[in-house]
Amino acid sequence: MDYRRTYVRDLFNLAPGTETSAFGWVKTRRDSKGVSFVQLSDGSCFRDFQVVIAAGTISEDVLKLITTGACVRFDGVVVESPAAGQAVELSASGVEVFGGADAANYPLQKKGATLEYLREIAHLRARGNTFGAVFRMRAQAAQAIHQFFAKRGFHYIQTPIITASDAEGAGAMFQVTTALEVNAPLEAPDGQFAYRLRSANPEHDFFGKPSYLTVSGQLEAETIALGMTNVYTFGPTFRAENSSTSRHLAEFWMVEPEMAFCDLEGNMNLAEEFLKEVIGNLLDFCGDDLSFFNQRIEPHLLETLEHVVTSPFERLTYTEAVTMLEQSGENFEFPVGWGTDLQSEHERWLTEVKVGRPVILTDYPKEIKAFYMRQNEDGKTVRAMDVLAPRIGEIIGGSQREERLDVLEARIKESGLPLEPYWWYLDLRRFGSAPHAGFGLGFERLLMYVTGMKNIRDVIPYHRTPGNADF
Ligand code: 4AD
Ligand code: MG
Protein backbone atom coordinates (compact mmCIF):
# COMPACT_ATOMS: atom_id res chain seq x y z
CA MET A 1 0.00 0.00 0.00
CA ASP A 2 1.19 3.54 -0.64
CA TYR A 3 -0.38 6.98 -0.76
CA ARG A 4 -1.43 6.65 -4.40
CA ARG A 5 -5.05 5.64 -4.45
CA THR A 6 -8.34 6.56 -5.97
CA TYR A 7 -9.85 9.12 -3.63
CA VAL A 8 -13.57 9.12 -3.04
CA ARG A 9 -13.85 12.35 -5.04
CA ASP A 10 -12.40 10.51 -8.06
CA LEU A 11 -14.69 7.49 -7.71
CA PHE A 12 -17.67 9.59 -8.83
CA ASN A 13 -15.97 10.07 -12.21
CA LEU A 14 -15.18 6.43 -12.97
CA ALA A 15 -17.01 4.72 -15.80
CA PRO A 16 -19.35 1.85 -14.97
CA GLY A 17 -17.49 -1.41 -15.33
CA THR A 18 -14.25 -0.09 -13.79
CA GLU A 19 -12.77 -2.34 -11.12
CA THR A 20 -11.46 -0.34 -8.19
CA SER A 21 -11.07 -0.08 -4.44
CA ALA A 22 -12.68 2.46 -2.15
CA PHE A 23 -10.85 3.41 1.07
CA GLY A 24 -12.42 5.39 3.88
CA TRP A 25 -14.44 5.57 7.04
CA VAL A 26 -18.02 4.39 7.28
CA LYS A 27 -20.48 7.21 7.83
CA THR A 28 -23.56 4.98 7.95
CA ARG A 29 -24.68 1.49 7.06
CA ARG A 30 -28.26 0.68 6.26
CA ASP A 31 -29.58 -2.83 5.58
CA SER A 32 -32.59 -3.63 3.48
CA LYS A 33 -33.69 -7.11 2.38
CA GLY A 34 -30.25 -8.59 2.90
CA VAL A 35 -28.53 -5.81 0.91
CA SER A 36 -26.31 -3.35 2.80
CA PHE A 37 -25.79 0.25 1.75
CA VAL A 38 -22.68 1.91 3.10
CA GLN A 39 -21.90 5.63 2.90
CA LEU A 40 -18.13 5.94 2.76
CA SER A 41 -16.03 9.08 3.28
CA ASP A 42 -12.31 9.75 3.04
CA GLY A 43 -12.36 13.53 3.49
CA SER A 44 -11.29 14.17 -0.10
CA CYS A 45 -14.58 15.88 -0.86
CA PHE A 46 -17.84 16.76 0.81
CA ARG A 47 -19.84 13.89 -0.65
CA ASP A 48 -19.94 10.32 0.61
CA PHE A 49 -19.69 7.46 -1.85
CA GLN A 50 -22.25 4.71 -1.77
CA VAL A 51 -21.08 1.11 -1.61
CA VAL A 52 -23.62 -1.65 -2.07
CA ILE A 53 -23.04 -5.10 -0.58
CA ALA A 54 -25.30 -7.68 -2.16
CA ALA A 55 -26.73 -10.44 0.03
CA GLY A 56 -24.19 -13.16 0.73
CA THR A 57 -21.15 -11.29 -0.67
CA ILE A 58 -19.54 -10.73 2.70
CA SER A 59 -19.74 -13.06 5.66
CA GLU A 60 -21.99 -12.10 8.58
CA ASP A 61 -18.97 -11.91 10.90
CA VAL A 62 -17.22 -9.30 8.76
CA LEU A 63 -20.42 -7.40 7.97
CA LYS A 64 -20.94 -6.91 11.70
CA LEU A 65 -17.71 -4.90 11.82
CA ILE A 66 -18.81 -2.45 9.12
CA THR A 67 -20.39 0.09 11.43
CA THR A 68 -20.25 3.88 11.71
CA GLY A 69 -16.65 4.95 12.25
CA ALA A 70 -15.02 1.74 11.01
CA CYS A 71 -12.13 2.12 8.58
CA VAL A 72 -12.36 -0.13 5.54
CA ARG A 73 -11.34 -0.87 1.99
CA PHE A 74 -13.98 -2.17 -0.37
CA ASP A 75 -12.99 -3.90 -3.59
CA GLY A 76 -15.52 -4.11 -6.36
CA VAL A 77 -16.79 -2.74 -9.61
CA VAL A 78 -18.32 0.63 -10.41
CA VAL A 79 -21.95 0.34 -11.51
CA GLU A 80 -24.65 2.80 -12.49
CA SER A 81 -26.56 3.84 -9.42
CA PRO A 82 -30.33 3.69 -9.32
CA ALA A 83 -30.24 6.02 -6.31
CA ALA A 84 -30.92 9.72 -6.76
CA GLY A 85 -28.05 12.17 -6.39
CA GLN A 86 -25.21 10.04 -7.74
CA ALA A 87 -24.44 8.56 -11.11
CA VAL A 88 -22.40 5.59 -9.91
CA GLU A 89 -21.82 3.44 -6.86
CA LEU A 90 -19.52 0.56 -5.99
CA SER A 91 -20.82 -2.96 -6.06
CA ALA A 92 -18.60 -4.62 -3.47
CA SER A 93 -17.08 -8.03 -3.97
CA GLY A 94 -14.73 -7.94 -0.98
CA VAL A 95 -13.75 -5.89 2.02
CA GLU A 96 -10.83 -5.44 4.36
CA VAL A 97 -11.66 -3.93 7.75
CA PHE A 98 -8.59 -2.01 8.93
CA GLY A 99 -10.16 -0.90 12.19
CA GLY A 100 -13.59 -1.48 13.65
CA ALA A 101 -15.35 1.13 15.82
CA ASP A 102 -17.40 -0.36 18.62
CA ALA A 103 -20.85 1.06 18.04
CA ALA A 104 -21.67 1.35 21.73
CA ASN A 105 -18.67 3.56 22.44
CA TYR A 106 -17.89 5.47 19.23
CA PRO A 107 -18.09 9.15 20.28
CA LEU A 108 -19.18 10.43 16.87
CA GLN A 109 -22.12 8.05 16.75
CA LYS A 110 -24.50 10.69 18.01
CA LYS A 111 -26.55 12.43 15.33
CA GLY A 112 -26.80 16.21 15.63
CA ALA A 113 -23.86 16.55 18.03
CA THR A 114 -23.35 20.18 19.05
CA LEU A 115 -20.26 22.13 18.02
CA GLU A 116 -19.36 22.44 21.71
CA TYR A 117 -19.42 18.66 22.12
CA LEU A 118 -17.38 18.21 18.96
CA ARG A 119 -14.73 20.55 20.39
CA GLU A 120 -14.28 18.07 23.23
CA ILE A 121 -13.62 15.29 20.72
CA ALA A 122 -11.65 17.49 18.35
CA HIS A 123 -9.39 14.54 17.55
CA LEU A 124 -12.33 12.84 15.79
CA ARG A 125 -14.26 15.75 14.36
CA ALA A 126 -12.39 15.83 11.03
CA ARG A 127 -14.48 12.79 10.11
CA GLY A 128 -17.75 14.71 10.20
CA ASN A 129 -19.32 16.81 7.46
CA THR A 130 -18.81 20.18 9.10
CA PHE A 131 -15.15 19.86 10.03
CA GLY A 132 -14.20 18.05 6.86
CA ALA A 133 -15.60 21.07 5.03
CA VAL A 134 -13.86 23.57 7.35
CA PHE A 135 -10.47 21.92 7.00
CA ARG A 136 -10.73 21.52 3.23
CA MET A 137 -11.58 25.23 2.97
CA ARG A 138 -8.66 26.03 5.27
CA ALA A 139 -6.26 24.09 3.06
CA GLN A 140 -7.62 25.65 -0.13
CA ALA A 141 -7.49 29.17 1.33
CA ALA A 142 -3.83 28.71 2.28
CA GLN A 143 -3.01 27.58 -1.25
CA ALA A 144 -4.97 30.50 -2.72
CA ILE A 145 -3.00 32.92 -0.54
CA HIS A 146 0.35 31.58 -1.69
CA GLN A 147 -0.83 31.69 -5.32
CA PHE A 148 -2.04 35.27 -4.94
CA PHE A 149 1.38 36.47 -3.81
CA ALA A 150 3.40 34.26 -6.12
CA LYS A 151 1.53 35.66 -9.15
CA ARG A 152 2.49 39.18 -8.07
CA GLY A 153 6.18 38.48 -7.49
CA PHE A 154 6.11 38.53 -3.68
CA HIS A 155 8.77 36.47 -1.91
CA TYR A 156 7.53 34.13 0.81
CA ILE A 157 9.72 34.66 3.87
CA GLN A 158 9.73 33.03 7.30
CA THR A 159 10.02 35.32 10.32
CA PRO A 160 11.02 33.99 13.76
CA ILE A 161 8.52 32.50 16.16
CA ILE A 162 10.67 33.17 19.20
CA THR A 163 11.81 36.75 19.59
CA ALA A 164 13.50 38.91 22.19
CA SER A 165 11.97 42.12 20.89
CA ASP A 166 8.79 43.37 22.45
CA ALA A 167 7.55 43.43 18.84
CA GLU A 168 5.08 46.22 18.73
CA GLY A 169 2.94 46.19 21.80
CA ALA A 170 0.25 44.36 19.80
CA GLY A 171 -0.76 42.34 22.82
CA ALA A 172 0.37 40.50 25.92
CA MET A 173 3.14 38.02 25.15
CA PHE A 174 3.96 34.47 26.20
CA GLN A 175 7.41 34.27 27.71
CA VAL A 176 9.72 31.48 26.56
CA THR A 177 12.05 30.38 29.31
CA THR A 178 14.05 27.46 30.60
CA ALA A 179 14.65 29.24 33.91
CA LEU A 180 11.85 27.32 35.56
CA GLU A 181 12.02 23.66 36.36
CA VAL A 182 8.68 22.81 34.89
CA ASN A 183 8.36 19.39 36.44
CA ALA A 184 9.20 20.60 39.90
CA PRO A 185 6.28 22.54 41.31
CA LEU A 186 7.00 23.27 44.95
CA GLU A 187 4.45 23.73 47.62
CA ALA A 188 5.22 27.13 49.06
CA PRO A 189 4.67 27.76 52.79
CA ASP A 190 1.49 29.71 52.12
CA GLY A 191 0.00 26.62 50.49
CA GLN A 192 0.42 27.90 46.94
CA PHE A 193 2.34 26.20 44.19
CA ALA A 194 5.46 27.72 42.73
CA TYR A 195 8.00 26.47 40.23
CA ARG A 196 11.62 26.04 41.19
CA LEU A 197 13.70 28.80 39.63
CA ARG A 198 17.03 27.68 38.16
CA SER A 199 18.27 31.24 38.09
CA ALA A 200 16.64 34.61 38.62
CA ASN A 201 19.13 36.25 36.27
CA PRO A 202 17.72 36.70 32.73
CA GLU A 203 21.29 36.44 31.39
CA HIS A 204 21.32 32.81 32.50
CA ASP A 205 18.13 32.07 30.63
CA PHE A 206 18.28 30.11 27.38
CA PHE A 207 18.55 33.11 25.04
CA GLY A 208 20.51 35.29 27.45
CA LYS A 209 17.61 37.70 27.79
CA PRO A 210 13.84 37.55 28.23
CA SER A 211 12.28 36.02 25.12
CA TYR A 212 8.75 35.59 23.88
CA LEU A 213 6.52 33.95 21.30
CA THR A 214 6.00 36.48 18.53
CA VAL A 215 2.78 38.52 18.29
CA SER A 216 3.52 39.42 14.65
CA GLY A 217 6.25 38.97 12.06
CA GLN A 218 5.83 42.52 10.81
CA LEU A 219 8.97 44.21 12.08
CA GLU A 220 11.22 41.48 10.72
CA ALA A 221 9.22 41.42 7.46
CA GLU A 222 9.88 45.15 7.10
CA THR A 223 13.62 44.54 7.29
CA ILE A 224 13.44 42.08 4.41
CA ALA A 225 11.03 44.19 2.34
CA LEU A 226 13.58 47.02 2.51
CA GLY A 227 15.91 44.91 0.43
CA MET A 228 13.60 42.57 -1.46
CA THR A 229 10.70 44.96 -2.15
CA ASN A 230 7.62 42.72 -1.87
CA VAL A 231 7.54 39.94 0.72
CA TYR A 232 5.03 38.13 2.92
CA THR A 233 5.03 35.87 5.94
CA PHE A 234 2.36 33.32 6.80
CA GLY A 235 2.85 31.76 10.17
CA PRO A 236 1.61 31.25 13.70
CA THR A 237 1.41 34.22 16.06
CA PHE A 238 0.64 34.29 19.76
CA ARG A 239 -1.22 36.60 22.10
CA ALA A 240 -1.57 36.00 25.82
CA GLU A 241 -4.66 38.14 26.28
CA ASN A 242 -7.03 36.65 28.76
CA SER A 243 -10.08 37.14 26.57
CA SER A 244 -12.40 34.24 25.85
CA THR A 245 -14.37 35.66 22.96
CA SER A 246 -15.64 33.91 19.85
CA ARG A 247 -13.12 35.90 17.76
CA HIS A 248 -9.87 35.54 19.72
CA LEU A 249 -7.31 32.76 19.90
CA ALA A 250 -4.07 32.67 21.88
CA GLU A 251 -2.43 30.98 18.87
CA PHE A 252 -3.56 32.06 15.43
CA TRP A 253 -2.14 32.26 11.92
CA MET A 254 -1.40 35.55 10.28
CA VAL A 255 -0.62 36.48 6.68
CA GLU A 256 1.57 39.59 6.56
CA PRO A 257 2.61 41.18 3.27
CA GLU A 258 5.07 44.07 3.39
CA MET A 259 5.80 46.28 0.39
CA ALA A 260 8.52 48.84 -0.24
CA PHE A 261 7.59 51.83 -2.43
CA CYS A 262 3.97 51.53 -1.34
CA ASP A 263 1.69 53.95 0.49
CA LEU A 264 -1.63 53.57 2.27
CA GLU A 265 -3.60 53.74 -0.96
CA GLY A 266 -1.55 50.91 -2.49
CA ASN A 267 -1.88 48.95 0.74
CA MET A 268 -5.67 49.25 0.67
CA ASN A 269 -5.76 48.26 -2.98
CA LEU A 270 -3.71 45.15 -2.28
CA ALA A 271 -5.85 44.17 0.72
CA GLU A 272 -9.04 44.50 -1.29
CA GLU A 273 -7.65 42.60 -4.29
CA PHE A 274 -6.33 39.95 -1.91
CA LEU A 275 -9.63 39.27 -0.13
CA LYS A 276 -11.54 39.25 -3.40
CA GLU A 277 -9.16 36.87 -5.12
CA VAL A 278 -8.92 34.43 -2.20
CA ILE A 279 -12.70 34.38 -1.74
CA GLY A 280 -13.14 34.02 -5.52
CA ASN A 281 -10.79 31.05 -5.49
CA LEU A 282 -12.85 29.38 -2.73
CA LEU A 283 -16.06 29.99 -4.70
CA ASP A 284 -14.41 28.31 -7.68
CA PHE A 285 -12.88 25.33 -5.91
CA CYS A 286 -14.95 24.62 -2.79
CA GLY A 287 -18.45 24.66 -4.23
CA ASP A 288 -19.80 21.62 -2.38
CA ASP A 289 -18.39 22.73 0.96
CA LEU A 290 -19.75 26.25 0.49
CA SER A 291 -23.21 24.92 -0.41
CA PHE A 292 -23.19 23.00 2.85
CA PHE A 293 -22.27 26.10 4.88
CA ASN A 294 -24.85 28.08 2.97
CA GLN A 295 -27.55 25.53 3.78
CA ARG A 296 -26.67 24.56 7.30
CA ILE A 297 -24.52 27.24 8.92
CA GLU A 298 -25.06 30.71 7.47
CA PRO A 299 -28.06 31.55 5.28
CA HIS A 300 -27.17 33.71 2.24
CA LEU A 301 -23.46 32.94 2.64
CA LEU A 302 -22.93 32.32 -1.07
CA GLU A 303 -24.80 35.45 -2.07
CA THR A 304 -22.73 37.50 0.39
CA LEU A 305 -19.41 36.12 -0.81
CA GLU A 306 -20.31 36.65 -4.47
CA HIS A 307 -21.28 40.22 -3.63
CA VAL A 308 -17.96 40.79 -1.84
CA VAL A 309 -16.02 39.60 -4.88
CA THR A 310 -17.82 41.89 -7.29
CA SER A 311 -18.46 45.14 -5.41
CA PRO A 312 -15.91 47.74 -4.24
CA PHE A 313 -15.21 47.97 -0.51
CA GLU A 314 -16.34 51.18 1.16
CA ARG A 315 -13.45 53.40 2.25
CA LEU A 316 -13.93 55.83 5.12
CA THR A 317 -11.70 57.69 7.51
CA TYR A 318 -11.98 56.94 11.20
CA THR A 319 -13.27 60.49 11.69
CA GLU A 320 -16.06 59.98 9.13
CA ALA A 321 -17.00 56.65 10.72
CA VAL A 322 -17.18 58.17 14.20
CA THR A 323 -19.46 60.92 12.90
CA MET A 324 -21.76 58.31 11.31
CA LEU A 325 -21.84 56.33 14.53
CA GLU A 326 -22.62 59.43 16.58
CA GLN A 327 -25.47 60.32 14.23
CA SER A 328 -26.79 56.75 13.97
CA GLY A 329 -29.32 57.13 16.75
CA GLU A 330 -28.30 53.65 17.97
CA ASN A 331 -28.08 52.91 21.65
CA PHE A 332 -24.58 51.37 21.81
CA GLU A 333 -23.34 49.67 24.96
CA PHE A 334 -19.97 51.44 24.60
CA PRO A 335 -20.09 55.16 23.86
CA VAL A 336 -18.49 56.39 20.63
CA GLY A 337 -16.44 59.54 20.45
CA TRP A 338 -13.40 60.76 18.55
CA GLY A 339 -10.30 59.24 20.14
CA THR A 340 -11.86 56.05 21.47
CA ASP A 341 -11.21 52.65 19.91
CA LEU A 342 -14.13 51.16 18.01
CA GLN A 343 -15.85 48.20 19.68
CA SER A 344 -17.16 45.24 17.78
CA GLU A 345 -20.75 46.55 18.05
CA HIS A 346 -19.61 49.71 16.25
CA GLU A 347 -17.74 47.76 13.58
CA ARG A 348 -20.78 45.58 13.04
CA TRP A 349 -23.14 48.53 12.72
CA LEU A 350 -20.88 50.15 10.12
CA THR A 351 -20.48 47.02 8.01
CA GLU A 352 -23.87 45.38 8.49
CA VAL A 353 -26.34 48.23 8.90
CA LYS A 354 -24.74 51.27 7.31
CA VAL A 355 -22.77 49.85 4.38
CA GLY A 356 -23.73 46.18 3.91
CA ARG A 357 -20.28 45.01 2.79
CA PRO A 358 -16.63 45.26 3.91
CA VAL A 359 -15.39 48.69 4.96
CA ILE A 360 -11.81 49.95 5.10
CA LEU A 361 -11.29 52.52 7.84
CA THR A 362 -8.22 54.73 7.70
CA ASP A 363 -6.43 57.49 9.57
CA TYR A 364 -7.03 56.53 13.18
CA PRO A 365 -5.94 58.68 16.13
CA LYS A 366 -2.29 57.90 16.86
CA GLU A 367 -2.99 57.22 20.54
CA ILE A 368 -4.93 54.04 19.77
CA LYS A 369 -2.50 52.65 17.17
CA ALA A 370 1.04 51.25 17.18
CA PHE A 371 4.14 53.47 17.08
CA TYR A 372 5.27 52.32 13.64
CA MET A 373 2.32 53.78 11.73
CA ARG A 374 3.13 56.82 9.59
CA GLN A 375 2.04 60.07 11.15
CA ASN A 376 -0.21 62.39 9.13
CA GLU A 377 0.45 66.11 8.71
CA ASP A 378 -2.28 66.93 11.26
CA GLY A 379 -0.05 65.47 14.00
CA LYS A 380 -3.09 63.66 15.44
CA THR A 381 -3.80 60.75 13.12
CA VAL A 382 -1.77 57.96 11.53
CA ARG A 383 -1.93 56.18 8.17
CA ALA A 384 -3.60 53.08 9.62
CA MET A 385 -6.13 50.90 7.87
CA ASP A 386 -8.44 48.26 9.27
CA VAL A 387 -10.58 46.15 7.00
CA LEU A 388 -13.87 45.39 8.71
CA ALA A 389 -16.18 42.64 7.53
CA PRO A 390 -19.85 42.07 8.33
CA ARG A 391 -20.33 39.41 11.09
CA ILE A 392 -16.59 39.41 11.89
CA GLY A 393 -15.48 42.98 12.52
CA GLU A 394 -11.73 43.50 12.03
CA ILE A 395 -10.32 40.96 9.60
CA ILE A 396 -7.19 42.90 8.49
CA GLY A 397 -5.09 45.49 10.29
CA GLY A 398 -2.29 47.39 8.60
CA SER A 399 -0.69 50.72 7.83
CA GLN A 400 1.82 52.73 5.92
CA ARG A 401 4.96 52.61 8.06
CA GLU A 402 6.81 55.58 9.52
CA GLU A 403 9.94 55.85 7.39
CA ARG A 404 11.30 59.11 8.92
CA LEU A 405 13.89 58.41 11.61
CA ASP A 406 13.20 61.46 13.78
CA VAL A 407 9.42 60.98 13.75
CA LEU A 408 9.75 57.27 14.49
CA GLU A 409 12.10 57.85 17.43
CA ALA A 410 9.72 60.43 18.85
CA ARG A 411 6.76 58.03 18.49
CA ILE A 412 8.60 55.18 20.22
CA LYS A 413 9.42 57.46 23.16
CA GLU A 414 5.88 58.83 23.22
CA SER A 415 4.56 55.27 23.45
CA GLY A 416 6.68 54.75 26.56
CA LEU A 417 8.97 52.21 24.87
CA PRO A 418 12.78 52.17 25.12
CA LEU A 419 14.71 52.98 21.92
CA GLU A 420 17.61 50.59 22.48
CA PRO A 421 15.91 47.26 21.59
CA TYR A 422 14.72 48.79 18.29
CA TRP A 423 18.24 49.68 17.10
CA TRP A 424 17.94 47.38 14.09
CA TYR A 425 14.45 48.63 13.23
CA LEU A 426 15.71 52.21 13.42
CA ASP A 427 18.73 51.31 11.26
CA LEU A 428 16.32 50.71 8.37
CA ARG A 429 15.45 54.40 8.61
CA ARG A 430 19.09 55.44 8.99
CA PHE A 431 20.25 53.65 5.87
CA GLY A 432 18.27 53.68 2.65
CA SER A 433 14.87 54.27 4.15
CA ALA A 434 11.90 53.98 1.80
CA PRO A 435 8.18 54.59 1.96
CA HIS A 436 6.60 51.22 2.73
CA ALA A 437 3.39 49.62 3.93
CA GLY A 438 1.84 46.31 4.84
CA PHE A 439 -0.95 44.55 6.64
CA GLY A 440 -1.85 41.47 8.65
CA LEU A 441 -4.79 39.19 7.88
CA GLY A 442 -6.07 36.97 10.67
CA PHE A 443 -6.33 33.64 8.82
CA GLU A 444 -8.96 32.26 11.20
CA ARG A 445 -11.04 35.45 10.94
CA LEU A 446 -11.03 34.98 7.16
CA LEU A 447 -12.14 31.37 7.63
CA MET A 448 -14.99 32.44 9.91
CA TYR A 449 -16.05 34.85 7.22
CA VAL A 450 -16.01 32.37 4.35
CA THR A 451 -17.54 29.43 6.22
CA GLY A 452 -20.05 31.30 8.36
CA MET A 453 -18.81 29.45 11.45
CA LYS A 454 -19.62 31.54 14.51
CA ASN A 455 -16.79 30.57 16.81
CA ILE A 456 -13.12 30.95 15.90
CA ARG A 457 -12.42 27.71 17.83
CA ASP A 458 -14.23 25.85 15.07
CA VAL A 459 -12.03 26.96 12.17
CA ILE A 460 -8.67 25.73 13.48
CA PRO A 461 -7.91 22.05 14.14
CA TYR A 462 -6.92 22.57 17.79
CA HIS A 463 -7.70 25.84 19.47
CA ARG A 464 -5.54 27.46 22.12
CA THR A 465 -7.54 29.76 24.37
CA PRO A 466 -7.32 30.68 28.05
CA GLY A 467 -7.55 27.42 29.99
CA ASN A 468 -7.29 25.16 26.94
CA ALA A 469 -4.29 23.61 25.21
CA ASP A 470 -5.72 20.10 24.82
CA PHE A 471 -4.59 17.75 22.06
O1 4AD B 1 -4.35 44.22 14.00
P1 4AD B 1 -3.22 43.32 14.39
O2 4AD B 1 -2.83 43.27 15.81
O3 4AD B 1 -2.00 43.80 13.46
C1 4AD B 1 -0.73 43.36 13.53
O4 4AD B 1 -0.32 42.47 14.24
C2 4AD B 1 0.17 44.02 12.51
N1 4AD B 1 1.54 43.79 12.93
C3 4AD B 1 -0.12 43.45 11.14
C4 4AD B 1 0.73 44.06 10.07
O5 4AD B 1 0.54 45.23 9.77
N2 4AD B 1 1.65 43.31 9.51
O6 4AD B 1 -3.53 41.84 13.88
C5 4AD B 1 -3.78 41.57 12.51
C6 4AD B 1 -5.01 40.70 12.36
C7 4AD B 1 -6.29 41.31 12.91
O7 4AD B 1 -6.88 42.18 11.98
C8 4AD B 1 -7.14 40.08 13.16
O8 4AD B 1 -7.74 39.63 11.96
C9 4AD B 1 -6.10 39.06 13.57
O9 4AD B 1 -4.86 39.50 13.10
N3 4AD B 1 -6.04 38.87 15.04
C10 4AD B 1 -6.48 37.78 15.68
N4 4AD B 1 -7.06 36.65 15.24
C11 4AD B 1 -7.38 35.71 16.15
N5 4AD B 1 -7.15 35.83 17.48
C12 4AD B 1 -6.56 36.95 17.98
N6 4AD B 1 -6.30 37.05 19.29
C13 4AD B 1 -6.20 37.98 17.06
N7 4AD B 1 -5.61 39.19 17.19
C14 4AD B 1 -5.52 39.71 15.96
MG1 MG C 1 -5.68 45.51 14.79
Side-chain angles (χ1 to χ4, degrees), residues 222-229 260:
E222 280 185 54
T223 67
I224 303 179
L226 293 190
M228 295 184 70
T229 308

Side-chain angles (χ1 to χ4, degrees), residues 122 125 131 134-135 138 249 251-253 444 447 455-464:
R125 66 182 181 169
F131 289 93
V134 168
F135 299 147
R138 198 177 158 104
L249 293 168
E251 176 180 297
F252 64 99
W253 286 66
E444 287 75 20
L447 287 164
N455 195 314
I456 199 164
R457 293 160 202 205
D458 294 331
V459 295
I460 189 165
Y462 298 107
H463 69 273
R464 271 77 185 95

